[in-house]
Amino acid sequence: MSASSKRAALYTGLIDRYRDRLPVSDSTPVISLCEGDTPLIRLNNIPRELDIDAEIYVKYEGLNPTASFKDRGMTMAVSKAAEEGSRAIVCASTGNTSAAAAAYAARAGMTAFVLIPEGKIAMGKLAQAIAHGAVVLQIKGNFDDGMRLVKEVAGEAPVSIVNSINPYRLQGQKTAAFEIVEALGRAPDYHCIPVGNAGNISGYWIGFSEAVGQTTASCTLYEGAENCPYLLEAMTDKRPVMVGYQADGAAPFLRNEPVTSPETLATAIRIGNPQSWDLAHAAVNESGGWFDEVSDEELLATQAMLARREGVFCEPASAVSLCGTLRDLQSGKIPAGSLITCTLTGHGLKDPDIAIRGREAVETVQAELGAVKDAILRNI
């Protein structure tokens, strides 16, 4: 293969891959870190050990450039901000959005301003935002306070909001649904996903809807798209049932109202007033799905099981999707024999302290053969 052929084969990110299904033009400057194209991994050991009759895959979004699904939306949001001439972006974040915003702003030569709740962000995520040069503002409040302030400050300062209220975010996030359909050759029967601010479940529903050739609400989410010119022929003939899972301390969809003081160890979904409330309800209702909740104890047990049994290390919020899926399979709410995909939203290294909390993970032995051999034999 010639050098030019090798260059042509390089993956260059989801905008280039799905350009004809996205609201971009030849004049849109593509700000990319080669996000997307994440693995869809079939679970082998967990279904067998739990005697579950189902085909379960996890969409491992922790292998995006900043280790979460947020990169999908951020490449679109920042590219469109650059097209509009923006020099700065702003977001409220529980961690992953701030990391992605900071990285893509750096790539674009912009300044990123991120508002985070004081003392309520995993250090791995805060480190990313700082390393990428963001201006980090800790507020004495929660994510919902930060979101309110971001919307207010955007009217007073020359900054573009890149939270999921920015419609281009959902346009980027819908591409994960395209990848799932392409990998399986069909849509899954059920797609299960963590829900915090609710942009991701909304984005997936837009993607699955467009994959069957249906014009959806996404066509009115940005100016000039009344005729949905990027909507092409169908990739599949069905859409999945959408199931959204929340942590029980931050479950406004289960309470049917905002939660004033959300609390959960799963910091990425510690959100009490989701900005994509209506879109998320539409996704669940139109698909015949539902919302449910799991406890911190349940989601942490699932996180550990997934890492130890399948070799997939996700952050606590990610484990919510598989946790709820396994419970619904065991109860029969999700029928046996189903094909299920679960979104794992972020990598476990986003919040390593939670993963090892309360565990004696490291054994110290003498630096001699006998001690090492004994330790190995004890653990076989």
Side-chain angles (χ1 to χ4, degrees), residues 294-326:
V294 302
S295 69
D296 279 1
E297 292 75 16
E298 289 173 312
L299 70 88
L300 292 177
T302 302
Q303 179 196 27
M305 177 172 59
L306 184 60
R308 295 182 179 188
R309 297 290 184 267
E310 302 286 357
V312 178
F313 184 28
C314 67
E315 69 171 319
S318 295
V320 169
S321 60
L322 181 61
C323 181
T325 297
L326 295 175

Side-chain angles (χ1 to χ4, degrees), residues 44 80 87 173 180 223 225 237 264 293 312 357 369:
N44 295 325
K80 296 301 285 189
R87 297 176 60 188
Q173 286 165 218
I180 288 173
E223 186 177 357
D237 61 357
T264 173
E293 60 190 328
V312 178
R357 179 181 294 184
L369 174 60

Side-chain angles (χ1 to χ4, degrees), residues 69-70 94 97 143-144 164 173 193-202 244-247 250-253 258-259 262 264 266-277 280 291-292 317-318 320 345:
F69 78 96
K70 301 290 187 176
T94 56
T97 299
F143 169 84
D144 301 307
S164 57
Q173 286 165 218
I193 190 166
V195 175
N197 210 28
N200 213 23
I201 190 172
S202 306
Y245 295 106
Q246 300 199 282
F253 286 103
V259 175
T264 173
T267 56
I269 54 174
R270 188 190 283 148
I271 296 170
N273 189 19
Q275 297 299 301
S276 295
W277 183 279
F291 292 106
D292 208 340
S318 295
V320 169
T345 47

Side-chain angles (χ1 to χ4, degrees), residues 72-319:
R72 288 185 184 274
M74 207 57 68
T75 185
M76 276 295 303
V78 175
S79 292
K80 296 301 285 189
E83 183 177 15
E84 293 162 4
S86 296
R87 297 176 60 188
I89 60 175
V90 65
C91 69
S93 179
T94 56
N96 284 331
T97 299
S98 68
Y104 282 81
R107 184 77 165 170
M110 298 179 183
T111 301
F113 296 92
V114 300
L115 276 64
I116 61 172
E118 185 179 30
K120 299 289 187 178
I121 180 173
M123 285 298 102
K125 301 172 186 180
L126 178 58
Q128 286 180 288
I130 293 172
H132 290 304
V135 178
V136 180
L137 305 174
Q138 288 197 97
I139 61 169
K140 296 183 181 298
N142 59 25
F143 169 84
D144 301 307
D145 295 317
M147 196 66 244
R148 171 180 54 80
L149 289 165
V150 160
K151 288 189 283 188
E152 291 173 358
V153 78
E156 303 289 333
V159 291
S160 295
I161 299 176
V162 292
N163 282 101
S164 57
I165 59 171
N166 179 324
Y168 298 114
R169 279 279 307 275
L170 302 191
Q171 289 293 310
Q173 286 165 218
K174 77 181 183 183
T175 60
F178 298 159
E179 290 179 13
I180 288 173
V181 170
E182 289 174 338
L184 295 176
R186 53 164 288 194
D189 299 316
Y190 293 82
H191 184 75
C192 302
I193 190 166
V195 175
N197 210 28
N200 213 23
I201 190 172
S202 306
Y204 269 83
W205 186 238
I206 291 169
F208 283 125
S209 295
E210 292 182 1
V212 297
Q214 291 194 11
T215 300
T216 69
S218 65
C219 299
T220 59
L221 284 178
Y222 58 93
E223 186 177 357
E226 293 82 0
N227 298 318
C228 214
Y230 60 87
L231 188 61
L232 302 181
E233 64 185 44
M235 303 165 68
T236 183
D237 61 357
K238 60 170 287 187
R239 297 183 290 180
V241 174
M242 300 293 293
V243 185
Y245 295 106
Q246 300 199 282
D248 61 8
F253 286 103
L254 278 299
R255 310 293 173 262
N256 203 33
E257 62 181 2
V259 175
T260 304
S261 300
E263 278 301 332
T264 173
L265 291 173
T267 56
I269 54 174
R270 188 190 283 148
I271 296 170
N273 189 19
Q275 297 299 301
S276 295
W277 183 279
D278 292 339
L279 287 174
H281 267 298
V284 166
N285 294 337
E286 290 174 18
S287 70
W290 60 88
F291 292 106
D292 208 340
E293 60 190 328
V294 302
S295 69
D296 279 1
E297 292 75 16
E298 289 173 312
L299 70 88
L300 292 177
T302 302
Q303 179 196 27
M305 177 172 59
L306 184 60
R308 295 182 179 188
R309 297 290 184 267
E310 302 286 357
V312 178
F313 184 28
C314 67
E315 69 171 319
S318 295

Side-chain angles (χ1 to χ4, degrees), residues 24 34 48 105 146 226 256 283 356 377:
V24 294
C34 296
R48 183 176 64 249
E226 293 82 0
N256 203 33
I356 62 175
L377 293 176

